[in-house]
Amino acid sequence: MSKKESSEKPPLVVSRHGEYRFQRGMITAKLLRMGLPMDKAFQTSRTLRSRLLGRGKITTDELKLELNALVEELHGPEVKVTSPPNRIPLVRSGENTFPFSRGVIVRRLVAAGLDVGAAIKVTDKVNRELRSRGERELDESIVDITVRKALSNMGDPALERRYRATTFARRAQHPVLIFIGGSAGTGKSTLATELAYRLGIRKVSNTDLIRETMRTVLSAAVVPGLHDHSFRGIIQGRQVLSDPRERVLAGFRQQSAQVRVGVRGVIARAIRENTSMIIEGVHLLPPYTDLLPPAVDVHIAGVTLAVTSPEEHKARFVRRANDQRLRGQEAYLEAFQSVRWIHDDLVRLADESEGLVLHNEDITETITDVVDFLSHLLPDDEADDPAARPAEVWAERSHIRTLLLILDGLGDEAIPVLGGVTPLEAAEAPVLSQLAGAGGQGQLLIRPTSEDLPDTALGLTTLLYDEHQPMLGRGLLEALGSGVPLTHDMVLFRGNLATVGGDGVIVDRRAGRIRTGIADLLEGLTDIPLSGGITGHIYPGHEHRVVVALKGPGLSGAVTDTDPGIHTVMERVSPAKGTDESPEADRTARALMALLSVARDHLSVHPLNAVRAEQGLKQANAILTRGAESASILGTIPHPRRASAVISACPTALGVAR
């Protein structure tokens, strides 16, 4: 290293995650992952570092261009920078990626009812098929489709149905709450832990822990019944019961009612955070729907465990004490009759409420029984008929395969210079002519709006749905198409990065159709705290477009656009207002304006905008919004019963499809 090089620093890399000092080791690792030989990877990273010394700052996009150019310069175009063959593919779930795991698939297949040997064989087949695709990264939906295709070919519809249930919690828009009740010693904790592992549910809670927490707040002097075993509950008040069984059950029900306060608090938080969880414990009394607050969007399922044989039930406490040294058996064995009274009473309550009672003799069989119960109980976007299976499964069984090619925006007017025909009529389009000759064409006349303006969303909705569907706001469609994580308490807006003058006059609604550096511009514009418990989020979309989201209580989609459109010259940004007189609409409009003000301040001082100004480009210094829609409407829309796939680069089209 020369003296000059030692005195200069490598640049700061500006990414959407913040700024960090250029690291040669990171570049080397990247080149190795891309398939470059080790000696060439080290040579390239050293040369790149040397060239960037004293640069100051460099964006990730610029760094990528520099690296690609250097690889070609040093090693020539014959060097193929590709992933090495047969590498374990990465699975993409939302914004996260992780290596494909055979163990995850095996445990789900076992939960679906396959024995371990058969589950391993299916997983090996899936693994080979995924690797044969040659893709470095796969969406998790591709993995699920491949597994379900293998199960479908086995000829047992129940296997595929139960496998769908094992992945439901990850796909559900609303939290999944599973309750496991039963007396002490019936295996609730074991089932809850194993079930959570197989269903991908990360949170498990039990009523004993909730009771213990409540004891730290409520002393034994205030609530004595809370500070003893469930089968030795102390009756508060002046009630005196001579019958031992009635005395035990009365104390148990009183303690359950006290613990229920804490259980409902845990449930309320899970719903508020849109988190799926399993709750188990002796204090859960059927029907479990009584534990829920009114009018909430959740998926709920509950089972009650039972042990038919009293002898087997008693033996379980002995085995449990051997496995868990600090959990003695004496108290349970001494009061075993009380435990059985509670056991029988819980089974009776479940039976009276038409709940499911499982005799837990073999944990593997019990898990399969619960998954089978969930597969019938939990809703699914797909029916059990073959035509509603994933497209790759359905296509193998269908004799008619259709490609619907939608050329959105292709229509035009006749132009005199072209001899009075449209540009499409004048164009040489051999591929389109070949497709037209091999298939059929149709003309669909749609009047999208009262102004007779073309509308991509309504046109695609009309074409793709079997029946007329309500028009969704473009903000929600853009969010769906861009993969924004949605919850029912969100309101979404379609936005543009724009150039706005200091006097509020819109210079360019699309900021010169900005295409690069969008993620860096928007870095830090998520989880913005606003008044009233509302948070604001701005996500990058396609080119100059963004998705603006408000999340919180009491929001409404009845809000006007801040984007005035292109109707007049020297238009100014429009203030957001409610389209009705509701306080929710007014609250949403005020929150939106506050978020856009934060964004304006953030963008106006962003270094990338300073660079654009130096280059004579229009600055992306403001955001204009339109097409407000509440995410809660998604739960009211029926899905077409059609197996299909949509290929598009347009987020609106992808949003309609999803």
Side-chain angles (χ1 to χ4, degrees):
M1 181 182 294
S2 67
K3 184 176 181 180
K4 179 182 178 182
E5 286 182 332
S6 62
S7 64
E8 294 181 340
K9 291 183 178 180
L12 287 174
V13 180
V14 182
S15 77
R16 64 188 182 92
H17 301 295
E19 295 182 356
Y20 60 90
R21 186 68 64 183
F22 172 89
Q23 295 290 334
R24 193 184 69 188
M26 294 174 63
I27 299 298
T28 303
K30 178 177 179 64
L31 293 170
L32 290 173
R33 287 197 302 270
M34 294 167 65
L36 208 66
M38 183 173 293
D39 58 338
K40 294 182 178 180
F42 277 107
Q43 175 193 2
T44 305
S45 63
R46 283 195 299 266
T47 305
L48 182 63
R49 182 185 187 280
S50 178
R51 291 188 179 183
L52 295 179
L53 288 175
R55 181 79 170 259
K57 290 186 178 181
I58 185 172
T59 67
T60 52
D61 289 340
E62 293 170 339
L63 181 60
K64 184 177 180 181
L65 291 174
E66 294 271 5
L67 179 60
N68 289 339
L70 184 59
V71 169
E72 184 171 347
E73 175 189 335
L74 293 179
H75 313 298
E78 71 279 0
V79 175
K80 302 296 182 183
V81 185
T82 58
S83 298
N86 209 30
R87 288 186 66 177
I88 298 175
L90 294 175
V91 179
R92 182 175 58 256
S93 176
E95 296 182 355
N96 302 315
T97 56
F98 49 87
F100 169 74
S101 172
R102 297 168 73 254
V104 171
I105 303 299
V106 168
R107 75 172 186 248
R108 288 176 183 158
L109 292 174
V110 171
L114 287 178
D115 61 58
V116 174
I120 292 175
K121 289 182 179 179
V122 171
T123 304
D124 287 342
K125 180 179 179 180
V126 170
N127 184 39
R128 288 194 298 272
E129 185 167 343
L130 293 176
R131 291 192 180 211
S132 69
R133 299 172 69 100
E135 299 178 38
R136 184 69 185 96
E137 187 173 294
L138 299 169
D139 190 86
E140 63 178 338
S141 62
I142 299 297
V143 179
D144 281 344
I145 287 172
T146 307
V147 175
R148 292 171 58 182
K149 178 181 176 182
L151 293 177
S152 178
N153 291 335
M154 295 178 70
D156 185 356
L159 284 174
E160 186 191 342
R161 187 189 70 238
R162 288 196 290 264
Y163 177 79
R164 285 208 310 268
T166 66
T167 64
F168 181 85
R170 294 183 299 111
R171 295 180 285 109
Q173 293 185 353
H174 305 303
V176 177
L177 301 179
I178 299 176
F179 298 97
I180 302 175
S183 72
T186 53
K188 302 179 298 301
S189 299
T190 302
L191 176 61
T193 303
E194 295 291 336
L195 199 60
Y197 178 65
R198 285 161 173 77
L199 299 183
I201 295 178
R202 299 181 179 181
K203 290 196 174 182
V204 178
S205 184
N206 65 75
T207 60
D208 284 341
L209 179 61
I210 294 172
R211 179 183 58 181
E212 195 67 31
T213 303
M214 296 178 68
R215 285 173 175 173
T216 63
V217 179
L218 303 171
S219 68
V222 177
V223 190
L226 195 64
H227 289 257
D228 208 334
H229 285 288
S230 59
F231 47 80
R232 288 205 299 251
I234 303 171
I235 296 295
Q236 291 179 260
R238 300 182 178 181
Q239 185 179 15
V240 178
L241 299 172
S242 57
D243 184 271
R245 177 179 176 277
E246 292 300 321
R247 191 162 57 246
V248 168
L249 293 182
F252 166 68
R253 289 170 188 163
Q254 177 181 271
Q255 187 180 98
S256 297
Q258 294 163 345
V259 175
R260 178 175 297 201
V261 176
V263 173
R264 283 177 169 165
V266 170
I267 293 172
R269 177 161 185 169
I271 294 172
R272 187 168 62 249
E273 297 179 351
N274 199 37
T275 301
S276 297
M277 71 182 308
I278 297 176
I279 303 178
E280 58 87 6
V282 65
H283 303 94
L284 302 177
L285 273 58
Y288 302 121
T289 50
D290 289 350
L291 295 167
L292 297 179
V296 293
D297 294 324
V298 296
H299 303 290
I300 178 176
V303 299
T304 301
L305 299 186
V307 180
T308 308
S309 166
E311 290 73 20
E312 168 61 22
H313 195 181
K314 182 179 293 186
R316 290 191 176 200
F317 293 110
V318 178
R319 291 197 296 269
R320 189 173 71 180
N322 292 332
D323 294 335
Q324 304 175 38
R325 298 293 182 181
L326 298 180
R327 200 170 183 184
Q329 57 179 300
E330 292 77 11
Y332 297 95
L333 295 180
E334 289 175 2
F336 182 70
Q337 181 58 69
S338 298
V339 173
R340 286 300 292 182
W341 283 333
I342 293 173
H343 171 281
D344 295 343
D345 194 55
L346 289 173
V347 171
R348 178 188 62 80
L349 289 174
D351 187 61
E352 289 179 356
S353 62
E354 299 183 349
L356 181 68
V357 177
L358 294 178
H359 295 276
N360 186 23
E361 298 177 357
D362 181 276
I363 186 63
T364 302
E365 292 181 0
T366 303
I367 290 171
T368 302
D369 288 341
V370 173
V371 172
D372 190 69
F373 173 58
L374 294 175
S375 73
H376 288 286
L377 184 66
L378 295 175
D380 197 282
D381 290 344
E382 300 151 356
D384 287 328
D385 60 284
R389 291 174 182 162
E392 293 189 19
V393 178
W394 173 84
E396 290 190 353
R397 304 171 186 271
S398 173
H399 299 292
I400 301 175
R401 301 185 183 183
T402 303
L403 171 66
L404 176 61
L405 183 63
I406 303 172
L407 303 175
D408 181 31
L410 192 64
D412 209 328
E413 297 179 351
I415 299 177
V417 74
L418 295 177
V421 298
T422 67
L424 180 60
E425 291 174 313
E428 289 292 333
V431 176
L432 291 179
S433 298
Q434 182 182 2
L435 287 172
Q441 305 85 50
Q443 183 179 19
L444 180 63
L445 298 178
I446 303 175
R447 177 166 294 179
T449 67
S450 59
E451 295 88 4
D452 291 333
L453 295 174
D455 187 277
T456 296
L458 183 54
L460 290 173
T461 301
T462 305
L463 287 171
L464 296 179
Y465 272 91
D466 297 318
E467 300 176 357
H468 175 69
Q469 298 297 329
M471 180 59 190
L472 300 183
R474 290 293 287 271
L476 179 55
L477 294 175
E478 198 85 5
L480 286 168
S482 301
V484 172
L486 299 180
T487 57
H488 69 280
D489 59 346
M490 294 177 73
V491 171
L492 290 309
F493 305 82
R494 188 188 195 197
N496 281 2
L497 282 168
T499 306
V500 176
D503 53 359
V505 172
I506 299 173
V507 178
D508 190 318
R509 293 177 58 251
R510 300 180 179 89
R513 289 191 175 272
I514 181 172
R515 295 172 181 266
T516 60
I518 309 299
D520 290 326
L521 278 171
L522 301 179
E523 178 69 21
L525 288 178
T526 56
D527 297 310
I528 304 297
L530 305 171
S531 62
I534 301 172
T535 56
H537 312 264
I538 302 177
Y539 304 95
H542 179 63
E543 296 182 350
H544 59 276
R545 296 194 180 96
V546 301
V547 177
V548 178
L550 295 175
K551 176 179 171 61
L555 297 177
S556 169
V559 177
T560 61
D561 300 342
T562 64
D563 184 352
I566 54 175
H567 306 301
T568 59
V569 182
M570 295 293 287
E571 190 65 76
R572 296 178 182 272
V573 178
S574 301
K577 299 178 181 178
T579 59
D580 58 32
E581 300 298 326
S582 67
E584 291 80 9
D586 180 67
R587 169 184 171 87
T588 307
R590 286 187 283 107
L592 175 62
M593 294 304 294
L595 175 61
L596 296 183
S597 177
V598 172
R600 182 79 183 271
D601 294 340
H602 170 87
L603 294 171
S604 63
V605 297
H606 200 284
L608 288 184
N609 270 324
V611 173
R612 289 181 64 83
E614 292 175 0
Q615 297 173 345
L617 301 175
K618 293 176 179 176
Q619 298 185 48
N621 61 4
I623 292 175
L624 306 177
T625 58
R626 51 197 168 107
E629 185 67 271
S630 171
S632 62
I633 195 174
L634 289 176
T636 67
I637 299 175
H639 296 279
R641 305 259 58 96
R642 181 190 297 121
S644 58
V646 172
I647 302 173
S648 176
C650 171
T652 298
L654 295 176
V656 172
R658 284 175 177 158

